[in-house]
Amino acid sequence: MAGCAYRRAAAARFGVGRARTMLTSIKGFWKVCRYGDLYMVLAALAAQSINISVGFCQGFSAVLLPQYTHEHPNITYEQSSWIASLGVISNPIGALLGGMMVDAVGRRLLLQSIVLPNLIGWLVIAFSEAYVFLCVGRFITGFTIGMSTASYIYVAEITTPEKRGVLSAVGPGLVSTGIFIVYFLGAFIHWRHVAAICAGFSLLTPFLMYFVPESPLWLASKGQMKEAYSALFWLRQNNSTAQQELMEFTKDRKTSENMTFKQKLGLFKRRNVLKPFALLIVFFIFQEMSGIYVILYYAVDFFKSVGTSVNEFTASIIVGGVRVFMGAVGACLINSFRRKTLATASGLLLGVAMLGAAICDTLDGPPLIKLACILLHVSFSMVGFLQLPWIMSGELYPQDIRGVMSGATSCCAYVLIFFNIKTYPQLEYYITSNGTLYLFAVCALLGATYCLLFLPETKGMTLSEIIRQFEDEKKEVDPEIGCDKQNKIEARPVQRRHSAGAAVSLEKCDILTPRWTQKETAKKMAVHE
């Protein structure tokens, strides 16, 4: 009897302890939701939702061309290539226009305004009765892809260094999701119905962005200090964190406001602008020449020309599913490994995979092995080589010209993509599909070597620390906060806690204190006296 009573008492204590543990876990979860990263994550996802529409635009030609050429047997090879490439040729225009607008009207408003070209373009495609209108619709929807790079700027500016990598990597993952949806729909329904569905889905991003704030960094650069504080408080759900982060990246606006036009042009000649621009463009060249976008835009026709034993539409759906899964894997890996490590490993593995497909094709090996190599190529591209240059285009540039330079970089990247997509049919004609596989493999391996030797590291670094990597001397003015590092008066370390929980030591100087905070302090001192 005593033993039974003891066991009952022990069970009761165990139950109470377990209940307390569960209660503590629930309280901890609520604390994270209320004071942690939840609001920041929701804002980042709202901005990145535009990339689903980008995936629709990029993957649509792969399902449109087989159906359209079946309906119109007289269409030429050249006309088919124009249908695919016109979805890319307007990307540079959209990127340039978006780069100029994102600094003028703000990140949030630009992401909301993208709905106009997106909706119009898809409706033109859905109701087109002639080849010309189909091309016009493809051209208009291409603006969406170009302007959507503003999402990476927005995410880079609202997130903490600890979460910036994984939340930025969500963008390419959602692009893959959009591609998979289009591939899946195109295998079962008519391309006009697919275009109509894409048109309706374009309303998602402006609806979601209505509930999230503007980038606090952009608001502060425009002198809207109260609005910047309100936006930061919404994102961080912590008063002291919002105030201290605002002081960290507040710029000295007088300097930029009094600059002449010639001085503003000189901003683009700085080392911390030209060097990251050159590094990213070369990275993009290797990315495009590794065959990633050829498989994306010509999925069905590519598998037909390579000669796999699986149905072309089924193979394209498999590719879309693999991209979605590996996009999620890549988002997890980007927070665990250095950027240079991921890019190098990704380029090396996708080069080896494409080389395996080329050798298998040369030896007339089993088609399933060839398909497996191509799927491995797609998989390895999603863990670094595909998403990193887009993510880094929103990280590497100074705040005063981040929008313009990010747009210019994206513009050049889209020109390269257009050149790659437009010339692929001719390239395949002259060097055969087997030769293109070897070419893609060699370019991927060269790209991996380039990333190992030259790619800058940005993992876990603030935007200020990233930009300082490209400066000649560290005594220059900090491009993020506008404070001369040599003239810090009474500088003292201040501890602030990110929403991720990491303590960061900052340097605080009077020039960083917002004017509205200075006025309140002065009033309090006057009353005290």
Side-chain angles (χ1 to χ4, degrees), residues 447-485:
T449 305
Y450 169 79
C451 292
L452 178 63
L453 298 177
F454 301 107
L455 195 68
E457 187 56 53
T458 63
K459 179 181 180 294
M461 302 172 67
T462 65
L463 298 180
S464 301
E465 292 169 343
I466 293 171
I467 294 165
R468 281 197 289 269
Q469 295 183 85
F470 304 107
E471 294 178 351
D472 291 319
E473 298 178 356
K474 293 189 177 180
K475 65 181 182 180
E476 295 176 357
V477 174
D478 191 321
E480 283 293 330
I481 60 177
C483 182
D484 191 342
K485 300 171 189 174

Side-chain angles (χ1 to χ4, degrees), residues 3 6-7 13 53 121 131 164 205 227 229-230 260 262 292-294 321 326 369 371 401 422 436 449 457 466 502 527:
Y6 176 79
R7 284 194 294 270
R13 287 195 299 270
S53 294
Y131 170 79
R164 188 178 64 243
T205 299
E227 292 81 358
Y229 167 76
S230 299
T260 64
K262 185 176 181 180
I292 294 174
Y293 285 95
V294 167
M326 293 306 298
I369 294 180
L371 175 62
I401 54 173
K422 185 66 179 70
T436 57
T449 305
E457 187 56 53
I466 293 171
V527 172

Side-chain angles (χ1 to χ4, degrees), residues 291-325:
I292 294 174
Y293 285 95
V294 167
I295 298 176
L296 174 64
Y297 279 82
Y298 291 99
V300 176
D301 292 336
F302 180 81
F303 284 110
K304 187 184 297 184
S305 65
V306 170
T308 58
S309 59
V310 182
N311 176 270
E312 294 86 5
F313 283 98
T314 304
S316 64
I317 293 175
I318 294 174
V319 168
V322 168
R323 284 176 59 94
V324 173
F325 175 75

Side-chain angles (χ1 to χ4, degrees), residues 145-451:
I145 301 177
M147 299 177 72
S148 66
T149 53
S151 63
Y152 294 103
I153 300 176
Y154 181 84
V155 172
E157 292 181 349
I158 69 167
T159 54
T160 58
E162 296 84 358
K163 297 293 186 292
R164 188 178 64 243
V166 64
L167 291 177
S168 296
V170 169
L174 291 179
V175 172
S176 300
T177 302
I179 293 169
F180 174 74
I181 294 173
V182 166
Y183 285 173
F184 183 81
L185 293 175
F188 298 101
I189 64 177
H190 194 267
W191 59 267
R192 292 186 187 275
H193 299 154
V194 176
I197 294 173
C198 294
F201 205 89
S202 64
L203 301 174
L204 175 64
T205 299
F207 173 75
L208 294 178
M209 291 302 295
Y210 176 79
F211 299 99
V212 302
E214 176 59 84
S215 164
L217 190 54
W218 181 83
L219 291 170
S221 69
K222 297 299 180 182
Q224 303 177 33
M225 304 306 301
K226 291 183 179 180
E227 292 81 358
Y229 167 76
S230 299
L232 259 178
F233 180 77
W234 190 93
L235 292 166
R236 304 291 185 259
Q237 293 293 301
N238 186 285
N239 181 56
S240 60
T241 300
Q243 287 184 349
Q244 291 171 0
E245 285 197 42
L246 185 62
M247 287 189 291
E248 178 187 357
F249 59 54
T250 297
K251 295 178 61 178
D252 184 14
R253 298 188 311 277
K254 288 185 177 181
T255 303
S256 59
E257 290 174 356
N258 296 329
M259 291 177 66
T260 64
F261 179 74
K262 185 176 181 180
Q263 289 173 326
K264 290 182 178 180
L265 287 179
L267 296 175
F268 297 90
K269 300 179 182 179
R270 291 176 294 179
R271 176 184 173 87
N272 59 8
V273 174
L274 296 178
K275 186 175 180 180
F277 179 76
L279 290 171
L280 285 175
I281 294 303
V282 177
F283 194 176
F284 273 116
I285 290 174
F286 286 117
Q287 182 203 65
E288 320 317 346
M289 294 305 297
S290 64
I292 294 174
Y293 285 95
V294 167
I295 298 176
L296 174 64
Y297 279 82
Y298 291 99
V300 176
D301 292 336
F302 180 81
F303 284 110
K304 187 184 297 184
S305 65
V306 170
T308 58
S309 59
V310 182
N311 176 270
E312 294 86 5
F313 283 98
T314 304
S316 64
I317 293 175
I318 294 174
V319 168
V322 168
R323 284 176 59 94
V324 173
F325 175 75
M326 293 306 298
V329 173
C332 296
L333 293 177
I334 203 169
N335 249 25
S336 303
F337 295 92
R338 299 168 67 241
R339 305 286 193 265
K340 180 177 293 191
T341 303
L342 276 181
T344 304
S346 175
L348 178 64
L349 291 173
L350 67 90
V352 171
M354 189 58 80
L355 187 62
I359 295 174
C360 182
D361 188 60
T362 301
L363 301 177
D364 198 19
L368 283 178
I369 294 180
K370 199 185 309 180
L371 175 62
C373 289
I374 294 174
L375 290 179
L376 286 175
H377 176 275
V378 174
S379 300
F380 295 139
S381 70
M382 293 301 299
V383 296
F385 223 65
L386 178 69
Q387 72 267 45
L388 280 178
W390 298 108
I391 294 173
M392 297 176 77
S393 66
E395 294 178 334
L396 298 187
Y397 296 113
Q399 164 62 23
D400 47 9
I401 54 173
R402 180 172 293 139
V404 175
M405 288 307 302
S406 179
T409 304
S410 301
C411 174
C412 295
Y414 288 128
V415 169
L416 293 170
I417 294 175
F418 168 75
F419 177 79
N420 196 17
I421 299 302
K422 185 66 179 70
T423 58
Y424 169 70
Q426 290 79 14
L427 184 68
E428 186 184 30
Y429 175 79
Y430 286 111
I431 67 174
T432 72
S433 61
N434 182 256
T436 57
L437 295 178
Y438 279 109
L439 178 63
F440 294 157
V442 171
C443 290
L445 295 175
L446 291 176
T449 305
Y450 169 79
C451 292

